[in-house]
């Protein structure tokens, strides 16, 4: 099996196909079959710039921006498969973004940008919510709405930190079940006690990608650590500490697990604005990256 296939590529095997494991501005860390299995490549500006094109209309030719005719210029992000040109002497270039089989994006009613893509090319989307002040069926409802057109992927609602469960929480669980009804499977887990981990493992399969989304602090990275084992944990030591005195993820990262499955860990979505509005902001920035072969 080739390396790119191990990283989930199911298309035709050709030279110059890579998967983005982390993004650093215009530079992307790719895994690929060439050059020892990984390269750093830059996005070719002209390939990802808005272009003016002419479209035929009843009144003649009209010049439009590509975005206007529904062909948005998409930026590659972590998890994407891309076509690149290797350059042994200089910079390798990403020439093309390959079609995504799944994607999760937030629609932003306030910002000028139409939407923000949070994760791509996952087989399973874990929408994570922790069993404490973060618990809100209304928020789950909004996530599920956004996840209604993810593409070829299964959506799973995950209640984390089950070890914090208290008497009377059954009420929350049945409210959640009602909210989710028929739209997703619900898992109840605790990364601390291991509760519910067998159910999680059903999705942890070689060449399959999971994406974790949810508010900051719900336990996304902790679950990645639990799945990755001690090796990965050690690399977390060098991550930035947040002001709150804990690790907080600052950029999307695709992590290869020892089992051969992959996880896209995302920075927590911060919700702002008035009640009922889906107005979320994602923490921006970079993190150190490491993955294992
Ligand atoms: N009690 C309990 N605490 C947990 C559990 N899982 C994670 N935590 C704690 O929750 C805090 C936040 O966990 P993280 O894994 O960093 O959360 P995150 O979702 O990755 O947060 P961001 O990276 O900021 O988006 C840490 O202090 C964890 O120890 C759990 O199962 N039970
Ligand atoms: Mg995190």
């Amino acid at each position: 099996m080739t390396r790119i296939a191990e990283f989930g590529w199911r298309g035709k095997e050709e030279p110059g196909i890579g998967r983005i494991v982390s993004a650093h501005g215009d530079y992307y860390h790719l895994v690929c079959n060439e050059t020892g299995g990984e390269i750093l490549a830059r996005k070719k500006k002209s390939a990802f710039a808005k272009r003016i094109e002419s479209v035929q209309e009843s009144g003649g030719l009209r010049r439009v921006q590509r975005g206007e005719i529904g062909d948005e210029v998409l930026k590659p992000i972590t998890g994407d498969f891309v076509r690149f040109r290797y350059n042994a002497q200089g910079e390798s270039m990403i020439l093309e973004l390959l079609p995504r089989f799944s994607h999760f994006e937030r629609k932003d009613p306030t910002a000028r940008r139409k939407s923000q893509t949070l994760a791509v090319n996952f087989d399973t989307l874990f929408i994570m919510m922790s069993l404490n002040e973060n618990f809100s069926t209304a928020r789950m409802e909004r996530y599920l709405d956004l996840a209604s057109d993810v593409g070829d992927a299964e959506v799973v609602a995950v209640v984390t930190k089950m070890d914090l469960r208290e008497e009377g929480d059954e009420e929350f669980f049945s409210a959640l079940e009602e909210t989710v009804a028929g739209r997703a499977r619900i898992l109840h887990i605790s990364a601390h006690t291991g509760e519910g981990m067998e159910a999680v493992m059903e999705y942890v399969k070689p060449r399959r990608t999971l994406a974790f989304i949810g508010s900051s602090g719900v336990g996304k990275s902790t679950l990645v650590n639990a799945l990755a084992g001690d090796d990965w944990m050690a690399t977390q030591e060098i991550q930035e500490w947040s002001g709150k005195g804990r690790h907080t993820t600052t950029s999307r990262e695709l992590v290869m697990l020892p089992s051969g499955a992959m996880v896209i860990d995302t920075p927590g979505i911060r919700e702002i604005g008035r009640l009922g509005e889906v107005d979320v902001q994602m923490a921006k920035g970079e993190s150190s990256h490491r993955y294992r072969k």
Side-chain angles (χ1 to χ4, degrees), residues 156-169:
V156 181
V158 183
V159 179
T160 62
K161 309 194 186 180
M162 280 297 282
D163 52 292
L164 301 180
R165 151 192 225 149
E166 284 170 7
E167 239 173 274
D169 280 349

Side-chain angles (χ1 to χ4, degrees), residues 28-263:
Y28 295 85
H29 189 166
L30 307 180
V31 289
C32 54
N33 292 338
E34 292 79 4
T35 74
E38 63 176 305
I39 61 161
L40 194 66
R42 198 158 63 86
K43 165 174 89 183
K44 191 164 184 279
K45 283 240 162 57
S46 60
F48 296 96
K50 275 215 190 301
R51 277 208 293 268
I52 304 292
E53 287 175 1
S54 300
V55 287
Q56 186 68 49
E57 282 187 347
S58 52
L61 281 178
R62 186 167 70 96
R63 289 172 74 72
V64 295
Q65 279 212 335
R66 225 164 37 148
E68 281 180 48
I69 50 173
D71 182 16
E72 220 180 319
V73 184
L74 299 173
K75 208 177 123 227
I77 65 168
T78 298
D80 266 321
F81 291 100
V82 296
R83 204 179 290 283
F84 68 90
R85 185 178 56 219
Y86 175 61
N87 182 349
Q89 272 77 47
E91 266 180 344
S92 297
M93 285 287 177
I94 292 178
L95 307 175
E96 189 189 348
L97 177 66
L98 296 169
R100 297 166 171 168
F101 62 85
S102 65
H103 61 103
F104 179 81
E105 56 192 48
R106 72 176 180 109
K107 292 171 186 81
D108 190 337
T110 55
R112 248 176 288 155
R113 267 203 299 197
K114 272 196 301 219
S115 65
Q116 183 179 21
T117 306
L118 299 180
V120 295
N121 295 330
F122 46 84
D123 300 283
T124 312
L125 180 71
F126 273 16
I127 300 175
M128 298 170 66
M129 202 161 82
S130 64
L131 189 59
N132 52 6
E133 63 284 356
N134 180 253
F135 197 92
S136 150
T137 51
R139 186 185 305 110
M140 181 56 77
E141 179 76 48
R142 296 201 292 273
Y143 279 130
L144 287 172
D145 279 348
L146 293 175
S148 62
D149 58 353
V150 285
D152 189 11
E154 187 179 346
V155 179
V156 181
V158 183
V159 179
T160 62
K161 309 194 186 180
M162 280 297 282
D163 52 292
L164 301 180
R165 151 192 225 149
E166 284 170 7
E167 239 173 274
D169 280 349
E170 281 67 28
E171 220 178 285
F172 288 139
F173 301 143
S174 45
L176 183 66
E177 250 166 64
E178 248 172 65
T179 304
V180 171
R183 291 196 276 174
R185 181 182 176 191
I186 305 176
L187 301 185
H188 297 89
I189 69 159
S190 166
H192 283 189
T193 65
E195 180 179 349
M197 291 301 276
E198 327 75 57
V200 170
M201 292 312 288
E202 288 173 34
Y203 301 96
V204 181
K205 295 271 169 350
R207 299 180 294 287
R208 298 273 147 180
T209 304
L210 293 112
F212 293 174
I213 60 151
S215 307
S216 185
V218 298
K220 299 180 295 296
S221 300
T222 305
L223 183 58
V224 176
N225 284 335
L227 296 172
D230 296 341
D231 283 4
W232 176 256
M233 196 92 86
T235 72
Q236 296 285 304
E237 305 285 328
I238 53 170
Q239 279 211 340
E240 256 174 63
W241 283 78
S242 74
K244 289 173 192 154
R246 61 173 176 80
H247 296 298
T248 190
T249 309
T250 53
S251 73
R252 269 182 298 260
E253 204 153 2
L254 186 139
V255 180
M256 175 57 88
L257 303 175
S259 55
M262 290 147 280
V263 184

